[in-house]
Amino acid sequence: MSSAIRMFAKKLAVQIVFAGVLLLAWEAIVKVGGVPPYLVPPPTSVFAAFVDMATSGILWQSVGLSLYRMAIGYGVSLVLGTVLGILLARSWFVKTTAGSVVLALQSLPSICWLPFALLWVGIDERAILAVVVLGATFAIAVATENAIRNVPPIYLKVGQVLGAKGFVFARDILFFAALPEWLGGMKLGWSFAWRSLMAAELIRKDSLGMGRLLEIGRSFNDVPMMLAAILVIIVVGVTVDWGVFGTIETKVRRLYGLQK
Amino acid sequence: MTLEVDNVSRTYLGIRRNGTQQVAALGPLSLTIPSREFFAVLGPSGCGKSTLLNVIAGFEKPDTGRVTLDGKPIMSPGPDRAVVFQEPGLMPWLTVRENVEYGLKLRGIKAHERRERAMHFLKMVHLSKYAEARPHELSGGMRQRVAIARALALEPRVLLMDEPFSALDAQTRDLLHDELQRIWIETHVTVVFVTHNINEAVYLADRILLMTAPPGRIKRLVRVPFARPRQKTSSDLSIFATMLQKEIKEEVDKVASREFDPDWTPATRSEVLVDPAAEI
Ligand SMILES: Nc1ncnc2c1ncn2[C@@H]1O[C@H](COP(=O)(O)OP(=O)(O)OP(=O)(O)O)[C@@H](O)[C@H]1O
Ligand SMILES: [Mg+2]
């Protein structure tokens, strides 16, 4: 066994033991310490609530619906944000006019738009998607702009000498030179969209979704279900954030020699 | 083929204590560089060496005059005037070979021919073993050799080099001097080579342009009379370099007395230990 694998196995073992001890301690404190289970349920009832949700199908429907909304909303904001970012980086006019508006909107949590949505259209699917799109678009736009502006000028010169002009330069050199930072922006946009979606789903009464599971639990005073919902939200979030974006980013950064 | 620099000058908008004003950076200056010549440009810092090179490369437009290659005026950068910069500027997302091939690909050269040509020039800089490596896996000196191979692969009519070795350590630089001399003997490509290093210029060049303090003009054009291959250690070369060093010192002192605080005085001649290896 190589030392790298041994290190990894050791780390994993320590983490599993730590999690086990934590769960046991939690169970013990609740059972022995007399904490009312309707406020802090023991892990066993959280697990039971999870199994309930899974067997009734409500869990899978919710995860599916939330991911579907993310796919649509985030997909739209990726396109919009990237186009806007390219314009901000390349067009003096767009930068001068829309630049400060984008910066201002980027600092505003998109959930602040929900009350408007309530007023204008009510909380329906359009409102949820709008909040997701608003949450991610400006962050992606700003990151895309910076990614392009930070491309070292030497690449422009090298491109000119080698004969890469206009679209060919953008496709072969600018895109790849900006890629690592742009990926960082995509990841940031995803986490903004994700936060916005969970908040919006909490409010929408007539549909499922992971945020909604939390709210259903609350309306039945079902704390185990609420905690189970929280855990599901964490697991899905981490899977996409680390598993998808993190992996791609690490791959690219390694390829470029930006990290070991 | 000749490279003709005709009455070229360039000013920049500079920021001074009393507001912005036009600052003359270069010339006016005229030169004729014949085909297959190794031409070095030597002068004090800020005298416009890079500006001259950038005008020839087409990155910058001169304020007056023009540069022509075979009588055709230079309008924009292009692969007929390959440039090697101080930093290698390799594309980290491509392998070493792909970096060398990229310019050929843009010219529509077929994959297998491209590959052959890239490998030929990688061999010339002794890097064929590293063809499939990524730039970040190479040392600084190796990267600069890839940059040279990439420029040569374009089969340019002029190879422009702006202090290509000045970011490297002394040993690596010595090695690359030998490589470049050998490559030049092999290819006889026309080279315009900007440097601070007198020894480097004397070792490599057919002719050396000594530039004046800014705005850079021709102080003197010197022919280096030694046959190739030259030896770094030859005493002829160091005597020649010492002679040039004295002339350059005058220009450096001029720059210093203009730029430095008023209490600065040049060291008197007898105090100066003339060291031709010193960078100016
Ligand atoms: N883009 C620019 N804007 C303003 N001034 C410039 C610009 N580029 C060069 N200059 C000025 O023009 C003069 C010549 O610059 P240049 O870079 O050609 O000198 P150099 O001989 O290459 O110097 P070094 O040996 O230090 O590289 C300098 O005074 C410099 O300040
Ligand atoms: Mg320079």
Side-chain angles (χ1 to χ4, degrees):
Chain A
M1 204 158 58
S2 83
S3 73
I5 295 176
R6 201 174 312 147
M7 278 297 292
F8 180 75
K10 185 177 164 192
K11 198 170 141 191
L12 196 67
V14 169
Q15 282 169 338
I16 288 171
V17 171
F18 173 74
V21 169
L22 205 68
L23 288 173
L24 277 176
W26 176 2
E27 186 88 23
I29 289 168
V30 175
K31 289 268 166 72
V32 182
V35 181
Y38 54 87
L39 287 184
V40 182
T44 39
S45 24
V46 174
F47 183 70
F50 175 81
V51 172
D52 277 351
M53 286 196 297
T55 46
S56 74
I58 186 178
L59 175 66
W60 311 120
Q61 272 175 287
S62 293
V63 171
L65 191 55
S66 291
L67 286 180
Y68 171 74
R69 285 170 176 153
M70 282 299 282
I72 307 266
Y74 180 71
V76 169
S77 49
L78 188 57
V79 173
L80 286 183
T82 301
V83 171
L84 189 55
I86 292 171
L87 290 175
L88 284 171
R90 280 307 173 94
S91 154
W92 177 88
F93 180 74
V94 174
K95 176 72 181 164
T96 311
T97 52
S100 40
V101 180
V102 169
L103 276 180
L105 289 179
Q106 190 239 340
S107 73
L108 180 74
S110 73
I111 201 67
C112 299
W113 294 112
L114 256 192
F116 292 91
L118 275 167
L119 254 179
W120 291 334
V121 289
I123 296 289
D124 62 359
E125 202 60 28
R126 282 174 297 171
I128 289 191
L129 287 180
V131 169
V132 172
V133 169
L134 285 167
T137 302
F138 301 114
I140 294 174
V142 170
T144 305
E145 182 195 349
N146 287 333
I148 293 173
R149 284 191 192 278
N150 292 342
V151 168
I154 180 104
Y155 288 131
L156 186 67
K157 287 186 157 188
V158 165
Q160 286 178 310
V161 167
L162 296 176
K165 293 192 200 102
F167 172 72
V168 172
F169 173 75
R171 181 195 63 193
D172 292 352
I173 298 181
L174 193 63
F175 171 77
F176 288 100
L179 184 61
E181 208 179 324
W182 186 53
L183 280 175
M186 282 169 69
K187 191 171 163 196
L188 185 71
W190 171 273
S191 61
F192 280 4
W194 179 245
R195 282 156 178 69
S196 311
L197 177 67
M198 290 304 107
E201 285 181 347
L202 271 176
I203 292 167
R204 178 155 184 206
K205 302 280 185 236
D206 56 349
S207 171
L208 282 173
M210 281 184 262
R212 179 78 186 129
L213 285 182
L214 201 55
E215 180 57 18
I216 293 173
R218 191 203 56 81
S219 66
F220 290 105
N221 279 330
D222 187 347
V223 182
M225 179 175 172
M226 291 167 72
L227 277 174
I230 292 266
L231 288 177
V232 170
I233 292 172
I234 290 175
V235 168
V236 173
V238 166
T239 305
V240 177
D241 228 27
W242 285 25
V244 180
F245 286 103
T247 311
I248 295 175
E249 215 183 355
T250 309
K251 271 221 171 90
V252 168
R253 293 182 64 85
R254 284 218 181 109
L255 181 76
Y256 282 47
L258 296 169
Q259 95 187 31
K260 284 267 169 287
Chain B
M1 184 224 71
T2 43
L3 182 68
E4 194 99 38
V5 176
D6 180 18
N7 195 36
V8 163
S9 72
R10 180 79 164 97
T11 58
Y12 287 107
L13 209 54
I15 298 162
R16 294 290 178 275
R17 219 180 310 174
N18 45 355
T20 60
Q21 60 186 61
Q22 291 289 325
V23 180
L26 173 70
L29 165 156
S30 298
L31 286 169
T32 303
I33 300 171
S35 180
R36 303 158 80 83
E37 181 167 74
F38 196 121
F39 187 84
V41 180
L42 205 53
S45 182
C47 74
K49 302 184 293 297
S50 297
T51 305
L52 174 62
L53 202 87
N54 286 337
V55 170
I56 297 174
F59 294 131
E60 307 219 14
K61 297 255 174 299
D63 291 333
T64 66
R66 61 176 198 165
V67 180
T68 54
L69 187 58
D70 272 343
K72 266 186 260 145
I74 282 160
M75 308 304 284
S76 62
D80 57 337
R81 281 150 293 128
V83 186
V84 176
F85 303 93
Q86 192 173 344
E87 36 176 341
L90 302 179
M91 296 174 270
W93 54 92
L94 300 178
T95 63
V96 164
R97 177 174 54 76
E98 287 164 344
N99 264 283
V100 179
E101 278 185 25
Y102 180 67
L104 307 177
K105 191 171 161 186
L106 291 182
R107 275 199 212 156
I109 295 171
K110 292 222 173 54
H112 76 272
E113 194 192 330
R114 218 158 64 206
R115 192 189 185 100
E116 238 164 59
R117 226 151 101 183
M119 291 313 290
H120 171 74
F121 287 103
L122 280 174
K123 195 166 211 119
M124 197 178 271
V125 295
H126 300 302
L127 279 175
S128 38
K129 260 197 291 187
Y130 292 86
E132 303 307 319
R134 301 270 162 192
H136 70 87
E137 298 168 287
L138 273 48
S139 72
M142 289 157 92
R143 283 179 212 174
Q144 202 59 327
R145 273 145 68 200
V146 177
I148 292 171
R150 175 172 70 182
L152 289 172
L154 296 171
E155 298 190 329
R157 297 203 284 169
V158 190
L159 179 61
L160 305 171
M161 307 179 97
D162 192 354
E163 303 190 37
F165 306 140
S166 64
L168 305 173
D169 64 88
Q171 282 83 13
T172 310
R173 194 183 312 162
D174 273 348
L175 223 72
L176 290 198
H177 287 157
D178 297 345
E179 300 257 306
L180 186 59
Q181 168 167 258
R182 185 182 48 77
I183 288 169
W184 185 82
I185 291 171
E186 255 174 67
T187 61
H188 264 285
V189 59
T190 313
V191 180
V192 180
F193 187 98
V194 166
T195 177
H196 273 152
N197 187 317
I198 300 170
N199 273 355
E200 188 169 83
V202 171
Y203 179 61
L204 291 169
D206 293 314
R207 269 196 310 160
I208 301 175
L209 163 64
L210 296 184
M211 283 175 81
T212 62
R217 295 204 179 89
I218 298 176
K219 182 176 169 73
R220 206 147 84 80
L221 273 166
V222 189
R223 185 162 295 282
V224 185
F226 309 114
R228 290 187 177 82
R230 296 173 184 166
Q231 298 298 319
K232 264 264 172 57
T233 48
S234 124
S235 56
D236 289 348
L237 257 63
S238 46
I239 292 166
F240 198 81
T242 308
M243 187 196 83
L244 290 183
Q245 165 79 12
K246 286 181 184 156
E247 288 201 42
I248 285 160
K249 178 83 170 75
E250 288 173 23
E251 296 305 313
V252 175
D253 285 351
K254 268 189 218 163
V255 175
S257 62
R258 258 186 247 163
E259 275 181 14
F260 289 10
D261 291 337
D263 57 354
W264 182 85
T265 48
T268 52
R269 213 33 92 204
S270 59
E271 285 167 339
V272 181
L273 267 177
V274 177
D275 174 11
E279 306 227 335
I280 50 166

